[in-house]
Amino acid sequence: GAGNLSRFLLDRDSVVITDYEAEYLHQLRRKFGTYENVQIRDLDLNTFSALDVSGDEIDSIVCLNVLEHVENDRRVLSELYQSLKPGGVLVVLVPAHPALYSELDKNLGHYRRYTEAMLIDRFREAGFVIEKSRYFNWVGAIGWYLFGRVLGRPHITKAATQGYRLVSWLRALEERFPFGFGLSTIVIGRRPAP
């Protein structure tokens, strides 16, 4: 929750939080702008270059539901690799399963959905060593399929969100019984140390 994030931020020497939309940057500044060790930066991965952060010592990068919004994801993964110091870690969470791609994705600005293998391959192409990967949130995948593919809804509705909350208790089963699918996939890769 929010308390865990606050503790995480306070435990770090320096944290940079980015976005490129003015409203989100405003919200980030309002929420985290008073932390002395936190910087809020305007950064668009579509135009990002490792040169943008060349003076920074970056040991970790976390991209949550970002890479699917980038047209040239291979280029960006390569730039992120170059941005990390040797031994640094990249964590990427993206929408999973191309078969789930629908108007919902198009309207959210998604270029693609990923398979776990596809994302792992792109990490390796960029030079990363894979530390961990998995699918998760199979309950959400079922809902996305129903609303996006079966019902053809172009937007996430309030009813869909409430329905997900009603069945979200099923996600506890996911930790005990992992499935080979989910709404998202996550890959953790490391830039090898010399």
Side-chain angles (χ1 to χ4, degrees):
N4 290 337
L5 179 58
S6 295
R7 281 191 297 281
F8 172 82
L9 293 175
L10 290 172
D11 288 345
R12 302 293 174 263
D13 291 333
S14 179
V15 175
V16 177
I17 304 173
T18 68
D19 206 297
Y20 65 94
E21 290 192 21
E23 176 58 29
Y24 293 140
L25 287 165
H26 173 72
Q27 289 176 26
L28 290 169
R29 287 186 182 103
R30 212 176 67 224
K31 188 160 188 158
F32 303 111
T34 59
Y35 290 78
E36 289 182 21
N37 63 328
V38 175
Q39 297 175 45
I40 312 297
R41 291 189 193 169
D42 183 346
L43 187 140
D44 182 350
L45 283 184
N46 283 297
T47 58
F48 174 74
S49 164
L51 295 174
D52 296 337
V53 293
S54 61
D56 298 334
E57 281 282 310
I58 300 174
D59 60 16
S60 329
I61 299 172
V62 179
C63 293
L64 305 177
N65 290 314
V66 174
L67 202 58
E68 68 274 13
H69 295 275
V70 175
E71 189 168 5
N72 190 344
D73 57 347
R74 286 180 166 95
R75 183 197 64 78
V76 168
L77 285 169
S78 179
E79 294 292 337
L80 292 173
Y81 178 88
Q82 295 302 320
S83 300
L84 283 167
K85 67 182 188 181
V89 173
L90 173 64
V91 179
V92 171
L93 177 141
V94 291
H97 300 295
L100 291 178
Y101 193 88
S102 68
E103 286 297 314
L104 285 171
D105 291 283
K106 287 179 191 170
N107 290 330
L108 289 169
H110 296 175
Y111 283 99
R112 72 199 67 78
R113 296 182 76 86
Y114 293 81
T115 65
E116 183 179 3
M118 178 180 166
L119 189 56
I120 286 171
D121 286 346
R122 291 192 180 164
F123 261 67
R124 287 184 176 143
E125 286 173 16
F128 289 99
V129 173
I130 305 305
E131 295 210 332
K132 188 172 185 175
S133 67
R134 67 177 275 221
Y135 289 112
F136 69 95
N137 191 0
W138 57 267
V139 173
I142 293 168
W144 198 271
Y145 176 76
L146 288 173
F147 278 87
R149 301 289 292 174
V150 175
L151 299 175
R153 300 282 195 256
H155 302 286
I156 298 170
T157 64
K158 194 173 191 177
T161 305
Q162 290 171 338
Y164 178 74
R165 285 189 189 125
L166 289 174
V167 298
S168 63
W169 60 271
L170 290 170
R171 289 190 52 223
L173 292 173
E174 186 168 22
E175 294 303 316
R176 294 183 60 192
F177 308 104
F179 292 95
F181 72 99
L183 186 61
S184 301
T185 188
I186 188 166
V187 173
I188 302 171
R190 185 174 298 276
R191 178 177 177 173

